[in-house]
Amino acid sequence: MNLSAGIAFQVLQSVFVVLAAPLLMGWVNQCRAWLQNRTAPSVLLPYWTLAKLFHKDAVIARDASPLFRLTPYVLFGCMWLAAGIVPVLATGLPFAPAADIIALVGVFALARVFSALAAMDIGTSFGGLGARREMLIGFLAEPAMLMTLFTAAFISGSTQLTTIVDTLAHRAFAIYPSLAFAGAAFLMVLLAENARIPIDNPTTHLELTMVHEAMILEYSARHLALIEWAVAIKLFAYMTIGIALFMPWGIAAAGDWSALPLAIAALLAKLALAGAALALLETLLAKLRLFLAPEFLSAAFLLAVLGMLTHFLVQA
Amino acid sequence: MSLANQIVNLLAALLLLIAFAMLSQRRILTLIKLLAWQGGALAASTAIVAYSTGQPHLYFSAGLTVALKVGLIPWVLHRLIDRLNVRWDIETLINIPATMLIGIGLVIFAFALATPISQMASVFTRSTLGIALASVLLSFLMMIVRRKAVPQVIGFLAMENGLFFAATSATYGMPLVVELGVALDVLVGTFIFGIFFFHIREQFDSLDIRHMEKLKQD
């Protein structure tokens, strides 16, 4: 692989993720509306919302510090960086060695810390409440996420996501009970980290039950647009991590232009399926009480640890 | 690794998962359903071992498992909790996340214990011995942390499932006579427990085991 082709792939993937992320959000919302017998909004609605928000004038609280203004850009940057590291379309990207799975979790943690700080910066009660809840969920979800990734890392013998995907995509067919455990744990972490039901309701208007929404109540216009966009990219990144770990078939190698159409088609099909499954899950489940969130996430941690132990014992 | 081996490993993992699900379960009805599922997974893995090793007596024990542990015992338990009218949520001595963490510790202990044994064994299911041991220990834990009599009995039955699985994975099952005897014992045990439940409730107006400790003080 020559460097220029690799860079072209990297740029292509990064731009693709940023542009496609709101579409995924729109698709999930549409599926959920169908499942709940509502008239579905257009798939393109998130784009219109972003365009509308970018054209408005921002209102910022008088007591806001520079941190408050900076945070939306940090969030967006973190998510974009994560989207560049995860092998979405191709493995072996030039960006990939910049961070392994541990650093990737760190990037998500950085975004979380900034959004919590910004939420407390204004000093409103809902901001502080949301930030505390977010940190509670975050510190429980992170170990589960790491354990899940470690299981896949043990199977392939590397913590580089691109190596893991390469190994898993090109192995002979085998049933891995450990990966089944890790997959279930990853799904639970995905729901918690992306503020979906059962941990948080992304469409709630009731401040007392909010987690993520409570943190961004004070944002408006372009800042809010960037945060919403970052949320969409985060969901996209998590889904593609899941796809990369548990169903990596069809992914291209960087520089291989002939494999690219298949990789894009496979990715879109898998994302459509995953988005519909997420909508179905959200329709079937009810939001948990906040105090049951630790139980939910400790179950995720348990599954991830069981997956790792099973890998050691049965070597599969 | 052969396909049969992979499926047995998968079923073993499922067995472990069900053991943890039972440990974290708050409702008795779901607990009984999980027990039936555990029996089903056990029967399936026994049947696969029977198929791949060509030992006909294992088919009998798989059939026996389906009849007893998927059919009869869950039905008896259903009848029992209907008659006793005990559909309440289960009380635990330790909260559930802590129980799960202890469970993880037990699994690590069981795996460490089983690794040297399974390295000596020559049967192809040897790697599942650790999981069998772990599910026995987890059922033990469940009996310890539950306060009411019915979940404790379910824990006991789950422990028997774990032992059965250990026998299948370590030595391709016990002789048929032993298996028949054990199955009958479990069945009789369930009935006797059923009678005990009524006696306990008659005596103490509750199935809470703590009340039985008061006898010592009187």
Side-chain angles (χ1 to χ4, degrees):
Chain A
M1 178 196 74
N2 56 8
L3 192 63
S4 61
I7 289 173
F9 258 74
Q10 181 72 63
V11 171
L12 182 75
Q13 177 183 311
S14 300
V15 172
F16 173 79
V17 170
V18 169
L19 291 183
L23 189 67
L24 177 67
M25 211 57 151
W27 168 245
V28 172
N29 288 341
Q30 196 171 39
C31 283
R32 202 164 49 172
W34 282 335
L35 285 168
Q36 294 169 351
N37 270 338
R38 290 185 282 125
T39 314
S42 161
V43 179
L44 301 176
L45 186 67
Y47 292 105
W48 303 131
T49 313
L50 289 181
K52 179 188 78 183
L53 286 173
F54 272 118
H55 280 103
K56 288 195 170 182
D57 282 333
V59 180
I60 286 178
R62 197 185 52 216
D63 302 324
S65 72
L67 183 83
F68 184 77
R69 292 157 181 272
L70 186 67
T71 297
Y73 301 99
V74 174
L75 284 188
F76 189 79
C78 281
M79 293 313 156
W80 201 357
L81 178 65
I85 295 166
V86 180
V88 178
L89 290 176
T91 56
L93 294 173
F95 239 43
D100 60 356
I101 46 177
I102 302 169
L104 187 68
V105 174
V107 169
F108 287 125
L110 180 71
R112 180 172 23 249
V113 167
F114 264 91
S115 59
L117 284 178
M120 292 199 269
D121 185 59
I122 298 289
T124 61
S125 49
F126 285 127
L129 174 147
R132 282 201 297 272
R133 289 179 179 177
E134 173 82 3
M135 293 320 271
L136 169 75
I137 290 168
F139 107 94
L140 291 164
E142 236 165 63
M145 174 81 177
L146 276 174
M147 284 295 171
T148 309
L149 294 172
F150 284 160
T151 308
F154 273 119
I155 289 177
S156 53
S158 162
T159 57
Q160 286 291 345
L161 205 47
T162 174
T163 319
I164 295 174
V165 174
D166 256 342
T167 321
L168 292 181
H170 298 116
R171 59 165 193 226
F173 176 76
I175 302 171
Y176 283 89
S178 52
L179 271 189
F181 279 128
F186 184 82
L187 180 67
M188 293 167 91
V189 173
L190 184 145
L191 292 174
E193 285 266 13
N194 287 287
R196 315 299 297 192
I197 291 173
I199 296 297
D200 187 9
N201 185 352
T203 56
T204 185
H205 296 291
L206 186 64
E207 287 90 345
L208 284 176
T209 65
M210 286 179 176
V211 181
H212 179 261
E213 293 294 313
M215 293 201 298
I216 60 171
L217 275 179
E218 295 294 322
Y219 279 108
S220 60
R222 58 176 185 279
H223 297 128
L224 183 60
L226 277 177
I227 291 178
E228 296 284 359
W229 206 343
V231 167
I233 300 175
K234 187 177 185 186
L235 181 66
F236 194 99
Y238 264 89
M239 280 199 173
T240 46
I241 293 173
I243 288 171
L245 290 185
F246 305 111
M247 37 180 179
W249 309 286
I251 199 162
D256 186 4
W257 291 101
S258 58
L260 193 61
L262 178 69
I264 292 180
L267 179 75
L268 288 181
K270 286 182 221 164
L271 278 178
L273 208 66
L278 178 64
L280 182 67
L281 260 183
E282 286 203 293
T283 310
L284 290 178
L285 296 175
K287 187 181 173 300
L288 285 178
R289 267 190 315 138
L290 182 71
F291 292 115
L292 284 179
E295 209 164 287
F296 181 81
L297 287 166
S298 66
F301 179 70
L302 173 96
L303 280 173
V305 172
L306 277 187
M308 209 163 75
L309 290 176
T310 318
H311 168 70
F312 278 118
L313 194 75
V314 300
Q315 302 299 327
Chain B
M1 216 189 288
S2 68
L3 187 67
N5 199 352
Q6 286 177 20
I7 296 175
V8 168
N9 279 346
L10 186 70
L11 286 169
L14 193 68
L15 218 62
L16 191 61
L17 185 66
I18 294 174
F20 267 103
M22 288 170 103
L23 204 56
S24 68
Q25 193 46 247
R26 283 209 172 87
R27 288 191 192 147
I28 293 186
L29 267 180
T30 328
L31 207 56
I32 294 174
K33 272 192 200 117
L34 284 171
L35 184 73
W37 275 105
Q38 200 181 33
L42 185 65
S45 80
T46 313
I48 288 168
V49 172
Y51 174 76
S52 55
T53 58
Q55 302 211 12
H57 82 269
L58 279 178
Y59 282 121
F60 284 108
S61 80
L64 205 64
T65 310
V66 171
L68 277 183
K69 287 170 188 165
V70 184
L72 192 59
I73 289 180
W75 181 75
V76 168
L77 285 171
H78 264 294
R79 285 288 305 273
L80 259 179
I81 63 166
D82 269 350
R83 295 275 298 278
L84 289 164
N85 207 9
V86 283
R87 286 159 179 275
W88 60 67
D89 285 6
I90 292 166
E91 285 175 47
T92 53
L93 290 175
I94 318 170
N95 69 13
I96 286 180
T99 318
M100 303 266 241
L101 287 179
I102 298 173
I104 291 182
L106 280 181
V107 173
I108 295 173
F109 175 69
F111 281 14
L113 208 62
T115 314
I117 303 172
S118 56
Q119 269 162 1
M120 284 190 294
S122 56
V123 291
F124 87 101
T125 46
R126 60 180 181 271
S127 53
T128 48
L129 184 64
I131 291 184
L133 205 57
S135 52
V136 170
L137 288 178
L138 286 174
S139 312
F140 250 137
L141 181 65
M142 186 176 138
M143 290 175 75
I144 292 168
V145 297
R146 290 294 155 90
R147 264 190 200 145
K148 298 279 162 61
V150 181
Q152 289 191 345
V153 168
I154 293 175
F156 173 75
L157 293 170
M159 193 165 80
E160 206 274 332
N161 279 350
L163 282 174
F164 209 83
F165 189 65
T168 322
S169 59
T171 60
Y172 291 153
M174 298 171 267
L176 191 57
V177 183
V178 180
E179 264 169 31
L180 276 175
V182 171
L184 202 66
D185 275 351
V186 168
L187 192 61
V188 171
T190 315
F191 284 118
I192 292 175
F193 277 129
I195 297 162
F196 262 135
F197 290 154
F198 284 104
H199 275 289
I200 292 171
R201 199 181 57 165
E202 214 166 278
Q203 210 86 70
F204 304 109
D205 286 332
S206 154
L207 284 176
D208 198 329
I209 300 299
R210 275 177 303 173
H211 294 296
M212 295 173 89
E213 292 167 5
K214 284 185 188 145
L215 285 178
K216 287 183 259 172
Q217 290 154 13
D218 289 339

